[in-house]
Amino acid sequence: QVQLVESGGGLVQAGGSLRLSCAASERTFSSTHMGWFRQGPGKEREFVAAIRWSARFTYYADAVKGRFTISGGNAKNTVLLQMNSLKPEDTAVYYCVAATQEYRLRLGAESDYAYWGQGTQVTVSS
């Protein structure tokens, strides 16, 4: 069973930066999209950003557009999330996700993704 392994979470002050990374455990794993969801305290889980490997097409939630950048890592099936200008409302557990099917150009629903990481905590203090 393929696992997604996240790293890079932590505590940062408002205005600071963090970079999350995620890698699939199997080199032969083939995904169409990889990305990130998050769940803040008392909130529902929400889409953050994703990358479609074909054409390296990236897309973002409005709440993070202009502050977060998603990109592919050097290794296959590795994805990075650079988070700048962090705000206290960005505090959440961040989950790496991967899809092996492609239903449409942008996959923003939880049900689009069959593979989920365990999550990494990001805390932004004010």
Side-chain angles (χ1 to χ4, degrees):
Q1 178 73 6
V2 173
Q3 294 183 332
L4 302 180
V5 181
E6 303 122 331
S7 61
L11 173 65
V12 65
Q13 287 190 329
S17 298
L18 279 175
R19 190 176 79 163
L20 305 182
S21 64
C22 171
S25 60
E26 302 290 333
R27 288 200 301 174
T28 57
F29 179 61
S30 181
S31 62
T32 57
H33 298 238
M34 286 185 75
W36 298 88
F37 279 70
R38 69 184 182 185
Q39 186 166 21
K43 298 180 181 179
E44 301 213 340
R45 194 150 54 183
E46 62 179 359
F47 170 79
V48 175
I51 182 168
R52 177 176 184 254
W53 294 122
S54 173
R56 296 268 171 157
F57 174 71
T58 59
Y59 47 103
Y60 301 87
D62 287 344
V64 306
K65 205 172 290 184
R67 300 187 298 121
F68 291 12
T69 301
I70 190 169
S71 61
N74 290 331
K76 184 184 175 185
N77 288 315
T78 301
V79 66
L80 309 173
L81 185 68
Q82 178 67 41
M83 304 185 294
N84 297 330
S85 302
L86 282 161
K87 305 174 181 179
E89 50 264 44
D90 294 317
T91 295
V93 176
Y94 284 70
Y95 297 91
C96 179
V97 295
T100 56
Q101 303 292 326
E102 186 163 82
Y103 310 103
R104 51 195 171 282
L105 185 61
R106 293 179 174 82
L107 303 184
E110 291 186 43
S111 58
D112 291 332
Y113 295 91
Y115 296 89
W116 289 73
Q118 293 293 322
T120 185
Q121 177 70 45
V122 171
T123 303
V124 184
S125 63
S126 56

